[in-house]
Amino acid sequence: TIQQNRAIMECVRAGRVEAGARRAITGCPPHGRRTERRRSSVPWPRGVGRGRAASEPASTAPRASLDKTEASRTASGSSGLDYSRLLECCEPDAAPLNVAVLVSGGVDSSVALQLLKRAGHKLRAFYLQIWFEEAFDNYWGECPWEDDLRYVQQVCEQAGVELEVVPLTKEYWDRVVSYSIDEIKAGCTPNPDMMCNSKIKFGAFVDHLEASYPAGEWDRIASGHYARVDRESGPGAATLCMSQDSKKDQTYFLASLRPDQVARCMFPIGCFPKDEVRALASAFALPNRDRKDSQGICFLGKVNFDEFIEKHLGTMEGPLVEDETGEVLGTHRGYWFHTIGQRKGIGLSHGPWYVSSKDIEQNVVYISRNYDSESRERSSFLCHGFNWIAGRTAAEVAEGGLRCKVRHGPGIYDCVFCWVDGEGGTARVDIRGKDHGFAPGQYAVFYDGCTCIGSAVIRSMPEPLTS
C-alpha cells in the first residue's frame, strides 16, 4: 500500500496520470450534480465565512466526489495502480455517509477532509473552540488559535465544505484541565490528550451534535488521528487498530474511548505514514501544506507550564534529595512542578540531574545523575482503572500475543498480565524488557497484535534507592 501511494503521488506531481484517474485522485471532473442543501438551525459564529456544503458544489468548483460506478471505472486508470487505496480508511463502499469532520488547522485533519470528500461522503467541518478565556500575561500573544481558525477557514473553503465553530471552553476546563490539575496536585502524571479525546472530541462534541441536529443525523465522527478502525469482523463491530506509521500512531491517546465511541470513529489518514500525508497535502495544494505539526500539552498550547501550575497550585518549598546518598542538595518550589524522568527545571550544577522519585506526603523530590542506570530499570508495574474496548481483557489474550505501551511513540513491549486482587481491581504487568519511565497516573495501553484492546492507569511510584 505504501509503495502504491508513493507511486500515485509521483504520478500526480509529474502529471503522468490520465484524465480519468486524475479525477479519482483530485476530485476534478468537468461537471457536477446539484443536490438539495439542508439548512442548519445552528447559529453561525461571527467571523467565520460560510463555505459551500459538500453536497452543493458551485458550478466552477470541483465536484465533491465521483459516483460509485465512475469511481470504480477510473480507479485503476491505464497505469494499473489501485487508486482506491487512497481511500482505504475512508469507507468508500459505504458512501454516502453523513460525516462530522473535526478540523484543527493542521495538515493531518485537512488531508483527512480532502480524502473524505473524494470518498463521496456528505461532510460538515467542525472547529472546537477550547482556548482559555482567562488572561494569562503571555497567553494571548503566544497561543496560535487565531492562525488555526484562519487555516481552517481556508481549507474548508477550498474543499467546499461548510464550517461550524463549536464553543466547548467550559466543558474542556471541567473535563480536561481540572482533571490535569487534580492529578498533578496528587503527584501523578496526567495525560490530558487522552482525556481530550474521550471527554471532548468524541464526548462533549458528540453531545453537541445530538443536541443540535436530528437524532441519527451523523453516521461518523472523523478526525486526523493516526489510527484505524476495523469493521470487518462482523456487522456493527468496530475495533481500534494501529496505523501504518508506528512512530506517529495515536492509538495510545485513543485507548480511553468507550466501545460505542470507537464505533462512530473514522480516521482517514490512518492508512498512511506521515511523509505520505505531507505528500498528499502538497498534491491537494492545501493552504497549510507547509505548516509545522503542533507540539506540547494539548490544553496549554504555548503557555509556560510552571506559570500555569503556580497560578493554580501555588508554591510549597521542599528539599531536593540525591537519591543514592540521601544528601539534601537544594530546594524545589513544590513537588507538583516535577515529574518522574524530568531533567529541566531542577536548577543544580554538575548535572545533568533527573527526577527519580517523589514523596508526596513529605514534599520531597529525589534526584539523580544516574537516572538511566540499570539499577533504576524496572520490568513490572501495578495498574488499575481499566477501560476495555475490544470485547476482551488483557488476561484473555492468547499467550504470547499481548503487548503494551507505556507512552506515546513506537516503543512497545511484549508483556504478561495477571490480576492481583480479582478481575477489575488491580493487575500486575510484567514486560519483556526494562523501562525507566513508569510513573503514577501514566497510562498503559494494551494490544492484541495490532488491535488496541484497552487501557489502565499505572499506580506504583518508583521507590527511592535510599529507602
Side-chain angles (χ1 to χ4, degrees):
T1 299
I2 293 174
Q3 286 86 351
Q4 289 174 326
N5 290 339
R6 285 181 177 148
I8 291 168
M9 289 301 98
E10 290 172 1
C11 290
V12 171
R13 288 193 291 268
R16 297 198 302 269
V17 181
E18 295 185 355
R22 181 176 291 276
R23 285 198 297 272
I25 299 173
T26 63
C28 297
H31 63 279
R33 296 176 297 184
R34 184 173 297 274
T35 57
E36 183 180 356
R37 175 179 176 179
R38 180 183 64 78
R39 294 193 176 275
S40 170
S41 59
V42 179
W44 196 256
R46 291 184 180 180
V48 177
R50 291 180 179 269
R52 292 178 300 275
S55 58
E56 186 194 25
S59 58
T60 58
R63 196 176 75 199
S65 64
L66 307 173
D67 61 41
K68 291 184 179 180
T69 302
E70 185 178 359
S72 175
R73 184 174 65 250
T74 62
S76 59
S78 61
S79 62
L81 294 172
D82 183 4
Y83 294 107
S84 64
R85 290 290 188 181
L86 284 173
L87 308 178
E88 187 176 356
C89 286
C90 296
E91 299 184 61
D93 292 339
L97 297 173
N98 287 335
V99 183
V101 188
L102 291 168
V103 288
S104 64
V107 169
D108 296 335
S109 63
S110 302
V111 170
L113 183 71
Q114 288 284 346
L115 291 173
L116 289 167
K117 175 182 174 182
R118 284 154 178 78
H121 298 303
K122 298 177 181 179
L123 310 178
R124 187 175 178 92
F126 295 85
Y127 176 80
L128 305 187
Q129 176 193 331
I130 54 177
W131 55 80
F132 292 167
E133 294 176 348
E134 56 184 4
F136 287 108
D137 291 339
N138 69 336
Y139 186 74
W140 293 108
E142 294 289 334
C143 185
W145 67 266
E146 291 176 318
D147 285 343
D148 289 344
L149 187 53
R150 181 166 59 251
Y151 278 121
V152 165
Q153 291 173 297
Q154 294 172 1
V155 166
C156 290
E157 288 184 8
Q158 180 198 48
V161 175
E162 201 159 346
L163 170 66
E164 178 181 333
V165 173
V166 181
L168 293 176
T169 297
K170 182 181 183 303
E171 292 84 351
Y172 194 68
W173 180 272
D174 292 343
R175 304 184 193 186
V176 178
V177 182
S178 294
Y179 145 82
S180 299
I181 293 171
D182 290 344
E183 286 289 287
I184 292 169
K185 186 176 181 179
C188 297
T189 301
N191 196 314
D193 294 286
M194 294 189 83
M195 292 299 103
C196 184
N197 286 325
S198 61
K199 304 298 184 183
I200 301 299
K201 292 178 182 177
F202 302 102
F205 172 60
V206 174
D207 295 340
H208 163 81
L209 294 180
E210 292 176 347
S212 304
Y213 293 88
E217 175 77 5
W218 301 102
D219 300 301
R220 298 284 187 270
I221 313 298
S223 69
H225 284 94
Y226 285 84
R228 296 179 296 119
V229 177
D230 180 8
R231 302 181 189 277
E232 297 180 358
S233 55
T239 54
L240 181 65
C241 299
M242 298 174 72
S243 72
Q244 290 276 3
D245 192 323
S246 61
K247 183 177 180 180
K248 295 293 292 185
D249 177 69
Q250 291 175 304
T251 52
Y252 180 86
F253 293 131
L254 295 164
S256 62
L257 297 183
R258 302 187 310 269
D260 63 294
Q261 290 175 315
V262 173
R264 299 186 70 177
C265 289
M266 187 188 293
F267 304 119
I269 66 170
C271 296
F272 301 94
K274 179 67 179 188
D275 63 339
E276 292 299 312
V277 173
R278 284 284 180 186
L280 285 167
S282 296
F284 296 152
L286 294 179
N288 58 351
R289 58 189 177 273
D290 296 321
R291 197 177 190 201
K292 294 181 179 179
D293 293 338
S294 61
Q295 301 291 334
I297 298 174
C298 70
F299 68 81
L300 287 179
K302 294 185 179 180
V303 176
N304 182 280
F305 177 79
D306 284 356
E307 290 182 14
F308 176 83
I309 296 302
E310 182 174 353
K311 178 179 177 67
H312 292 279
L313 296 181
T315 61
M316 184 172 67
E317 188 174 285
L320 286 169
V321 177
E322 185 172 20
D323 200 342
E324 292 83 356
T325 65
E327 182 181 355
V328 177
L329 301 180
T331 60
H332 60 82
R333 299 192 303 137
Y335 65 81
W336 44 75
F337 290 100
H338 302 281
T339 59
I340 305 300
Q342 177 181 328
R343 176 180 173 181
K344 295 182 179 180
I346 294 175
L348 295 179
S349 59
H350 308 294
W353 294 95
Y354 298 85
V355 176
S356 57
S357 186
K358 295 187 291 185
D359 184 332
I360 306 307
E361 293 184 0
Q362 300 299 322
N363 192 30
V364 177
V365 174
Y366 292 92
I367 59 175
S368 175
R369 286 179 291 195
N370 302 305
Y371 183 72
D372 292 329
S373 68
E374 291 186 4
S375 62
R376 299 181 187 283
E377 292 180 338
R378 293 189 295 158
S379 58
S380 66
F381 58 86
L382 298 177
C383 56
H384 64 151
F386 301 96
N387 179 60
W388 304 115
I389 61 175
R392 58 192 180 277
T393 71
E396 296 171 306
V397 175
E399 184 177 352
L402 185 65
R403 304 191 293 169
C404 76
K405 289 186 177 186
V406 294
R407 63 183 61 83
H408 168 62
I412 191 167
Y413 294 106
D414 292 334
C415 64
V416 175
F417 179 101
C418 62
W419 297 111
V420 173
D421 56 1
E423 184 171 346
T426 299
R428 176 188 170 109
V429 178
D430 292 273
I431 64 172
R432 182 177 297 176
K434 292 187 176 182
D435 196 290
H436 298 86
F438 305 141
Q442 186 176 328
Y443 276 79
V445 174
F446 300 98
Y447 297 83
D448 184 353
C450 290
T451 298
C452 179
I453 64 171
S455 63
V457 181
I458 295 174
R459 60 177 291 181
S460 49
M461 174 76 77
E463 292 291 337
L465 297 180
T466 53
S467 62

